[in-house]
Amino acid sequence: MEQDLMHQQKIHSLGLLGKVASPEGFGSDEALQGLRDFGLPDPNPQLRKALQVALTHTSYVYENDSLFPAAIRGVFSPLQELGKSYLRKQAAVEIFRRESIPNVGFLSGEVAQVSSSLQRWAPQQAWILSSCSIGRSLSRNSLPWRVVADFFYQVVGVLCLAGEAETAASLVSNVLAYSDQSAGIRDPKTLLQEQIKQPLTYEYRRSGPDHAAMFQATVTSQDGRQGTGEGPNKKTASRGAAEEFLRKYVPKVFRKEPYPELGTDAVEIPDEPPHGRMVGRLQDLFSLSPAARPLLSQALIHSSWAYENRPKMKECRQRDNLILGYIGSQVLNYEFSLSCARQAVEYPLQELLSLSSPPNRVLDKAFRYAGLAQGLLLGVGQASLGTPLELGANTFQAVMGAVFVSKSFPAAMRPEWPIEWESIWQMVVQESQDVDPSTLLAQIASAMKLHFDLDFVASGPDHARKYKAVAVLGSQALGVQTKVSGADVAGKTHARQVVSQIILDALAHLAGEHPKQSLAKSKDAFSLARFVLTHQAAIISEQHIAVQRWVDAKLFGLHWASSPLKLVEWSQDADELVTRVVNFRFSASRFEQAFRAANDAISGAVDDMESELTATLDVLESIDNAESISRDQLDVLVQLCNVYRCLGSRDPDISVGELAADWQLLHRGRLEIPQALPLVKISGRERAILDAAMNSVMTSRSKVVVKFASSQPLRLDFATTHPLDRATLEHACSLWSRVSRTVKVETTETGIQATVVGATVPDSPGPITRAALAAMEPIAHPYQAAVADLLHDLKNQLVAARLATSSPADTRTARLEQQLAASRHLDQAQALAVRLRATTSLLKPVDAENTELGSFLRSYASTMLTRLPRHISLSVPDARQTVRVALSERGLIAVLDNLVGNSIEALAEGGAITLDWTSDDNEAVIEVADDGPGLPGQVIEALSSGERVRSTKPGGNGLGLLGVRSLLGRVGGELTLVPSNSGTAWLITLPISSDLTQEGS
């Protein structure tokens, strides 16, 4: 019985993979014998079906869709990501265990070499080639190596889901052995040039069809010696040729010299009490032996501290946490991919992430939630800058790496996880609770305000009664309804699940990148999907929506909002579906608003920017003398000011040629730019990001070369021969990459690479496509412009404080006068920092919480009554009904404190404040009103035009109302000023919460 239970647990996560038709015949396939050679026991029927899917190409699925569930196409990518993450994790573990690692670059390079070797190993596996199912456009005898490698990844992914870890490990070990035997060195071309020290000539010959081309390369030295190689591209072929040359003529390079053992007998860093306490806490939390303490200590050593404390590091035989961070990243990436794959195969609509690893902002959140900063050893310079997002993320990964190694490399981390950190596991791995199809459909229908009801039709005799469920979907927005019938099955529960899955499959078609193409083969699904999509468009056009809920449920393409190309492709299909509906009314401006809000929700750029600003203010507020103001601190402040200035402005478009001319003029004599430039226009915001990349590389004070690598997409390389500070460069790239979703900047070995991705505009775009294109265009945000002004003033005060004490003073009085002037500038800076702090407190990251409105408002008003001046009265609203709104209590308090605070200031002579609310099925409205003198005309005009609010209060900056509007907009709400002859009245509109998790529970 215990064995049966374990067997059920193994196949529990195969879900959709076990629903393919006609698995017969697979048992005689060569694939099963090949996998038995790697240790796979005789598979059960569900695992056989899953392995059949794993050895299937999408081209075969399209040609034989009747054999597969409709949602099966969405499973291939998560399976591949799971297989890739498992390969990288196992490779990292094996290399770490058998070799001493000199640095993290060596380890990552060795792992990359294993992944590269797979492209040569996989095509040699007869059990894959003879058993795979491919479309008619592919030939089994000349499959591209990428296709064969994907089959391998999918098989490994299935084995991981099925709990067959030993077989998966055996497969990866075979790839590792092949890599050790065949790869030899990571960069044979560079090594060959270093060893030969004479001119080398590479010649290429191409063979095979276009879809499976092969290249043969020959490298020839000046003295006539040659090496040959082949591969699917010139790069691989030339590497093979260089490697053969080295093996024939320079065999000594393949004899690996052992690296010195670093950190193998390390001890814990002493005399650092907070550090030691954190090491002890982690030891107790994960039930580790005392022998684990040196490794846990290493996980909390940043490279900046290691550099500044080299004697102590040498004494303790320690090293920084970079290698452990790499090990931990591979472990967490695998657990994350495993969770995503489980969601994909069980409930395709719940697989919400297209990422292959947890985002850095999530890992940084886990780092802070776990309190690891208390024990982290940072250098003095880095400590003055705080702990940026990437540093926190890497430290959390390093701790996970230390625990993983100390636990002797367990197959899975879940069983080793402490209950005290359960919320951190959910945060990082993002597991979801199992939900049956009918419950999931009810949740999604609620999120998009679609009425969902069920009727049952019984048939057959009493002893064999069958039930057919009929789902009735009603759209109040369209004023119509439609019915969907399921199949005759035994039991009402089963019938409800069958019809629910039909509707979920239609939603899955709509959620794909090309919904029209996906729906083309199913007339019934096409009609149902068009009805649902039109309903979604009508809801967005007429009502407020909970944007994050729609993103999570993949409704109306909002989950594509952060990917410009995919969003436009989806929108074109959506336009063709909905514009066929007679008398369909739409609001392109509301579509655009929804796409922008969804992008903010997905990218987290606003949250990241506010976190960066808050961390900077933390450092600046601690400065108490001008001498302690560093150049690095001012540079960070200038960078932040430039970012907010960019977000707060809308500069005109510019051509690449004009931009290059501006650069040549600004950096005369220090810049090399090619003469032939692509005829491409970029937006003002994209130009600002490229300017920032250029300025970051220009700090090298040497010549900079700009290369235009491609025009579609536009890709620029900024390179310099002078070494740059890597940490500063990565921080700048991280900061500016958040500014626009159409530009990505990342560091290279010699500088920065910037990629500008723009969507192709169709000839006659429909309303949804027009909205998608408009949402990609940058808009000026008055709030960010106001923050930029304050940051600029803050920087000026700090610079003035430094200058006041930098000039020579001949007398004691002169020195005292300098100190007084510096102190006054610091006081001004502190006051500006306090104003910024008060403003940004509104925009803390928006979480997924919701609030029961009636009881909250009564509690808030009762608390506020105890703080009001005696000459001001406040009404306490009734809790008439139970309504939950899509904003946390913390967010509501921030909004109300700002509006009520303004009313209190306006009622200096006394008066009354009214707090009231109402709601319907879709939204709730809170009214905050007073009988004071009312708002000044210029404030009303600025609010109505969406421009910057100029405060009329002494020392005010008008940021409060802008912050409130920004916060409400991020959850699909609004702040509206009600016209009035006397007093001021605000309406806060919030969508009713459709929290899927809460409803599912």
Side-chain angles (χ1 to χ4, degrees):
M1 183 174 178
E2 184 176 347
Q3 287 182 342
D4 289 342
L5 179 61
M6 292 178 62
H7 177 72
Q8 290 297 325
Q9 289 174 339
K10 280 190 174 184
I11 68 172
H12 176 73
S13 295
L14 295 178
L16 193 66
L17 300 176
K19 297 180 181 179
V20 293
S22 304
E24 297 82 5
F26 185 70
S28 60
D29 237 323
E30 191 173 346
L32 280 184
Q33 185 56 50
L35 290 172
R36 287 191 184 99
D37 293 340
F38 288 104
L40 180 68
D42 189 37
N44 54 67
Q46 287 85 354
L47 180 52
R48 276 189 196 193
K49 291 182 179 183
L51 289 170
Q52 183 178 5
V53 174
L55 288 166
T56 301
H57 191 256
T58 51
S59 61
Y60 185 84
V61 175
Y62 278 111
E63 294 172 9
N64 301 272
D65 61 326
S66 62
L67 300 177
F68 301 90
I72 198 71
R73 298 184 190 97
V75 171
F76 289 109
S77 180
L79 275 183
Q80 291 168 20
E81 288 298 337
L82 178 55
K84 290 175 184 177
S85 65
Y86 184 82
L87 173 71
R88 289 191 290 262
K89 185 196 82 163
Q90 288 297 108
V93 167
E94 290 303 317
I95 295 167
F96 181 86
R97 294 175 74 171
R98 74 188 185 195
E99 298 181 43
S100 56
I101 310 299
N103 54 58
V104 71
F106 173 89
L107 179 57
S108 64
E110 291 294 297
V111 172
Q113 183 63 54
V114 175
S115 297
S116 177
S117 297
L118 181 67
Q119 64 182 288
R120 298 187 296 275
W121 178 89
Q124 299 177 23
Q125 306 307 303
W127 62 273
I128 296 179
L129 297 175
S130 62
S131 305
C132 60
S133 301
I134 55 178
R136 290 186 293 272
S137 62
L138 296 175
S139 170
R140 197 178 302 275
N141 297 323
S142 58
L143 280 179
W145 69 264
R146 289 185 180 86
V147 173
V148 188
D150 283 344
F151 286 143
F152 170 84
Y153 288 132
Q154 288 165 192
V155 167
V156 171
V158 164
L159 293 172
C160 292
L161 286 174
E164 300 293 350
E166 293 181 5
T167 306
S170 180
L171 277 169
V172 173
S173 294
N174 201 271
V175 180
L176 277 165
Y178 177 85
S179 179
D180 289 340
Q181 180 182 0
S182 63
I185 43 184
R186 280 185 285 150
D187 190 356
K189 291 181 69 175
T190 301
L191 183 59
L192 175 59
Q193 189 65 62
E194 292 174 350
Q195 293 290 325
I196 297 302
K197 301 188 185 322
Q198 58 178 272
L200 296 167
T201 303
Y202 286 87
E203 297 177 343
Y204 300 92
R205 199 158 47 85
R206 174 175 173 158
S207 61
D210 290 342
H211 68 273
M214 288 295 293
F215 291 86
Q216 290 78 38
T218 301
V219 58
T220 306
S221 62
Q222 195 173 34
D223 55 14
R225 291 179 291 175
Q226 289 187 332
T228 59
E230 66 175 21
N233 50 56
K234 288 184 178 180
K235 180 179 180 181
T236 303
S238 61
R239 285 170 58 91
E243 187 170 320
E244 185 190 68
F245 191 109
L246 287 167
R247 288 187 184 279
K248 288 166 62 175
Y249 303 112
V250 199
K252 66 178 182 178
V253 300
F254 291 90
R255 294 192 289 270
K256 287 188 176 181
E257 298 296 330
Y259 289 99
E261 293 286 319
L262 294 176
T264 53
D265 57 346
V267 298
E268 179 183 350
I269 298 293
D271 306 321
E272 299 286 346
H275 177 78
R277 286 194 294 271
M278 180 55 67
V279 168
R281 180 185 165 200
L282 292 170
Q283 178 192 350
D284 294 339
L285 196 63
F286 285 91
S287 303
L288 300 172
S289 70
R293 292 183 68 93
L295 210 56
L296 294 172
S297 178
Q298 185 181 125
L300 295 168
I301 301 174
H302 186 252
S303 56
S304 61
W305 191 92
Y307 179 80
E308 293 177 9
N309 294 270
R310 282 167 288 181
K312 181 172 283 190
M313 291 289 290
K314 185 176 181 180
E315 177 186 345
C316 296
R317 299 176 295 283
Q318 273 288 9
R319 65 200 312 175
D320 62 36
N321 63 7
L322 290 178
I323 291 177
L324 286 178
Y326 183 85
I327 294 291
S329 72
Q330 301 308 314
V331 172
L332 290 175
N333 290 353
Y334 168 71
E335 298 287 356
F336 181 89
S337 298
L338 181 61
S339 175
C340 289
R342 281 175 177 159
Q343 294 181 51
V345 300
E346 290 289 356
Y347 309 108
L349 282 177
Q350 281 195 302
E351 201 285 287
L352 306 173
L353 299 170
S354 59
L355 305 171
S356 59
S357 59
N360 270 355
R361 60 186 176 85
V362 173
L363 296 172
D364 178 65
K365 185 178 178 181
F367 161 78
R368 299 179 193 281
Y369 190 91
L372 297 177
Q374 301 170 24
L376 179 61
L377 297 177
L378 288 175
V380 175
Q382 181 62 57
S384 69
L385 298 175
T387 52
L389 181 144
E390 291 79 11
L391 193 155
N394 186 71
T395 302
F396 181 80
Q397 291 175 135
V399 169
M400 292 304 98
V403 171
F404 180 73
V405 174
S406 300
K407 289 277 187 179
S408 300
F409 312 95
M413 284 295 289
R414 186 61 166 132
E416 313 292 337
W417 203 261
I419 190 65
E420 294 91 336
W421 275 18
E422 179 63 24
S423 59
I424 296 180
W425 178 270
Q426 300 293 339
M427 180 192 309
V428 173
V429 178
Q430 303 199 17
E431 284 186 342
S432 66
Q433 305 257 331
D434 290 349
V435 183
D436 71 86
S438 55
T439 303
L440 179 58
L441 178 58
Q443 295 170 355
I444 295 174
S446 173
M448 62 177 167
K449 301 177 175 65
L450 181 67
H451 180 72
F452 172 61
D453 203 359
L454 282 173
D455 291 328
F456 294 93
V457 178
S459 61
D462 291 343
H463 66 278
R465 187 166 294 279
K466 295 289 185 72
Y467 292 91
K468 177 169 65 179
V470 179
V472 181
L473 303 177
S475 170
Q476 186 176 358
L478 298 175
V480 295
Q481 66 179 30
T482 190
K483 293 184 178 182
V484 182
S485 297
D488 289 317
V489 295
K492 288 186 176 181
T493 299
H494 189 195
R496 181 167 56 247
Q497 292 174 341
V498 168
V499 75
S500 296
Q501 190 61 54
I502 292 173
I503 302 170
L504 289 175
D505 287 345
L507 286 166
H509 285 302
L510 283 178
E513 188 175 345
H514 301 286
K516 184 185 174 186
Q517 179 182 344
S518 180
L519 290 163
K521 298 180 180 180
S522 175
K523 183 178 180 181
D524 293 338
F526 187 95
S527 176
L528 172 61
R530 189 172 64 178
F531 165 80
V532 173
L533 182 63
T534 308
H535 165 79
Q536 293 172 6
I539 288 293
I540 291 180
S541 294
E542 298 175 3
Q543 303 176 21
H544 295 288
I545 64 168
V547 174
Q548 185 62 59
R549 288 8 177 226
W550 281 51
V551 170
D552 292 345
K554 296 187 176 180
L555 302 178
F556 203 70
L558 296 190
H559 54 294
W560 297 119
S562 62
S563 175
L565 298 178
K566 292 181 179 180
L567 176 61
V568 171
E569 289 180 358
W570 180 91
S571 299
Q572 292 179 76
D573 273 16
D575 271 321
E576 291 196 38
L577 290 170
V578 302
T579 51
R580 297 184 185 184
V581 179
V582 179
N583 297 326
F584 170 63
R585 295 174 298 170
F586 59 84
S587 170
S589 63
R590 296 296 292 269
F591 296 159
E592 177 188 344
Q593 181 183 351
F595 288 140
R596 288 187 184 276
N599 176 59
D600 290 342
I602 295 170
S603 67
V606 176
D607 294 346
D608 292 342
M609 210 68 71
E610 298 299 333
S611 298
E612 188 84 29
L613 178 56
T614 300
T616 303
L617 293 177
D618 288 341
V619 174
L620 296 179
E621 287 178 347
S622 65
I623 296 175
D624 57 2
N625 62 80
E627 289 80 4
S628 63
I629 303 171
S630 70
R631 181 72 254 174
D632 287 342
Q633 290 167 343
L634 290 175
D635 288 344
V636 169
L637 198 56
V638 170
Q639 190 92 266
L640 265 177
C641 181
N642 290 339
V643 168
Y644 274 95
R645 183 84 65 209
C646 174
L647 292 171
S649 61
R650 174 68 169 90
D651 295 327
D653 296 349
I654 188 174
S655 70
V656 169
E658 292 172 311
L659 178 61
D662 288 349
W663 285 344
Q664 290 279 30
L665 186 63
L666 185 63
H667 306 289
R668 191 185 303 274
R670 294 186 53 208
L671 195 60
E672 181 180 319
I673 297 180
Q675 295 298 317
L677 300 175
L679 299 175
V680 177
K681 279 237 173 196
I682 59 175
S683 69
R685 184 162 299 175
E686 290 166 345
R687 182 248 173 88
I689 300 172
L690 297 182
D691 281 341
M694 169 68 79
N695 293 334
S696 296
V697 178
M698 274 294 174
T699 57
S700 67
R701 311 221 177 265
S702 65
K703 191 171 185 178
V704 171
V705 178
V706 181
K707 295 181 180 179
F708 289 83
S710 65
S711 57
Q712 286 294 333
L714 179 64
R715 184 172 289 117
L716 297 84
D717 289 312
F718 302 87
T720 177
T721 56
H722 193 280
L724 295 160
D725 182 69
R726 177 66 55 179
T728 302
L729 215 58
E730 288 180 350
H731 178 264
C733 287
S734 172
L735 199 60
W736 283 96
S737 288
R738 306 169 194 170
V739 171
S740 171
R741 56 183 166 157
T742 61
V743 184
K744 180 181 181 182
V745 284
E746 51 192 346
T747 59
T748 63
E749 291 296 324
T750 56
I752 288 178
Q753 183 179 85
T755 305
V756 182
V757 181
T760 303
V761 180
D763 293 334
S764 300
I768 301 177
T769 306
R770 290 201 303 272
L773 292 167
M776 292 163 54
E777 293 294 323
I779 59 174
H781 296 281
Y783 168 76
Q784 275 83 4
V787 170
D789 288 347
L790 280 180
L791 286 170
H792 179 75
D793 293 343
L794 176 58
K795 182 262 299 181
N796 286 345
Q797 293 296 340
L798 291 175
V799 170
R802 282 187 57 174
L803 291 175
T805 57
S806 61
S807 57
D810 298 330
T811 65
R812 182 179 61 182
T813 301
R815 287 194 298 273
L816 290 174
E817 287 176 345
Q818 284 183 341
Q819 292 172 9
L820 178 60
S823 180
R824 284 174 174 160
H825 288 301
L826 281 179
D827 286 344
Q828 290 292 325
Q830 295 274 356
L832 289 167
V834 168
R835 287 164 62 185
L836 272 169
R837 174 83 69 183
T839 299
T840 55
S841 66
L842 272 175
L843 291 183
K844 295 294 184 184
V846 174
D847 45 41
E849 296 177 14
N850 54 56
T851 304
E852 200 289 295
L853 189 57
S855 58
F856 166 81
L857 288 177
R858 284 189 62 83
S859 174
Y860 176 85
S862 299
T863 303
M864 183 60 67
L865 280 172
T866 64
R867 296 156 42 191
L868 281 177
R870 293 184 179 180
H871 58 274
I872 298 177
S873 65
L874 174 68
S875 63
V876 179
D878 295 330
R880 295 179 289 272
Q881 60 191 106
T882 300
V883 171
R884 302 197 75 86
V885 293
L887 185 61
S888 66
E889 288 192 7
R890 176 174 53 78
L892 269 174
I893 290 172
V895 170
L896 292 174
D897 277 354
N898 187 278
L899 298 179
V900 173
N902 286 344
S903 292
I904 293 172
E905 291 180 0
L907 299 173
E909 304 298 325
I913 300 174
T914 302
L915 195 60
D916 204 356
W917 68 283
T918 186
S919 70
D920 57 22
D921 292 339
N922 302 312
E923 60 190 25
V925 178
I926 306 170
E927 182 182 26
V928 180
D930 64 59
D931 57 0
L935 287 178
Q938 65 267 33
V939 174
I940 297 175
E941 184 178 351
L943 286 168
S944 61
S945 61
E947 297 179 355
R948 172 92 173 271
V949 178
R950 304 292 176 178
S951 177
T952 58
K953 294 182 292 186
N957 50 50
L959 282 175
L961 293 176
L962 293 175
V964 167
R965 278 194 161 174
S966 181
L967 175 60
L968 293 175
R970 287 158 62 193
V971 296
E974 285 185 349
L975 177 67
T976 308
L977 177 64
V978 180
S980 175
N981 294 327
S982 63
T984 303
W986 298 99
L987 295 183
I988 305 165
T989 305
L990 286 167
I992 299 298
S993 172
S994 52
D995 191 327
L996 304 189
T997 303
Q998 181 191 22
E999 291 175 11
S1001 63

